[in-house]
Amino acid sequence: MTIITIEEARHHLRVEPDYPQEQVLQYLEGAEALAQQFLNRRVFASQAELDGARQAMPAALEAAALARDQAIANAAELTDCAARDMLKALANDAYSAVLAEQRRIALGMVITPNVKSAVLLTLGHLYDNRETVVVGTISTDLDMGAYTLLWPSRVGLGV
């Protein structure tokens, strides 16, 4: 589910009503993911969604810890040291990924006008530049780009 509606995205891109929704959705999801990665936090459409995600955190953390412990116990039964160590490391990596995601939720925010504008700027860029190479043009980054809009809401990388 996206934090910006598909209708808002279509309007921003000024696409025809018959333009494939899947295409717009793909760009929109990419733009939102990029913004959230830069911010190091999750962005929600409403306070109720943020509150719900935060309330689900203890259960998610407990489930991740149980899964890690079970995977480590299963790995301990292996006789191959390299396989055992690899599976233990993978279990710890998976647990660390859940911790990082839950931290991004704990630091979550409700979408602001700056974040919305940055997502829409990125959406427009993805829509306009659908290829990795552009021939015969000169491009310049705009001073007031998406990252400038996101920077005030960015949080540190530490856990």
Side-chain angles (χ1 to χ4, degrees), residues 27-144:
Y27 298 139
L28 180 57
E29 288 173 341
E32 289 182 3
L34 183 65
Q36 292 184 80
Q37 288 168 357
F38 181 79
L39 291 170
N40 299 314
R41 62 200 309 186
R42 290 289 165 247
V43 180
F44 296 87
S46 69
Q47 186 65 46
E49 288 180 21
L50 173 56
D51 292 344
R54 285 180 175 161
Q55 288 173 355
M57 288 176 58
L61 290 168
E62 185 174 348
L66 289 172
R68 178 205 55 209
D69 294 346
Q70 185 61 52
I72 289 174
N74 292 344
E77 297 176 10
L78 297 176
T79 56
D80 181 343
C81 293
R84 181 177 56 241
D85 291 344
M86 182 185 72
L87 291 176
K88 286 181 179 181
L90 289 173
N92 285 317
D93 289 348
Y95 180 67
S96 293
V98 171
L99 290 178
E101 176 59 19
Q102 294 306 307
R103 180 180 183 276
R104 287 188 287 272
I105 291 170
L107 295 171
M109 63 183 283
V110 176
I111 192 167
T112 63
N114 281 6
V115 172
K116 185 173 187 176
S117 294
V119 170
L120 291 173
L121 277 172
T122 305
L123 171 67
H125 172 77
L126 293 173
Y127 176 77
D128 288 341
N129 301 289
R130 290 171 271 204
E131 304 296 331
T132 57
V133 176
V134 179
V135 178
T137 64
I138 297 173
S139 66
T140 303
D141 284 338
L142 299 176
D143 290 334
M144 190 63 176

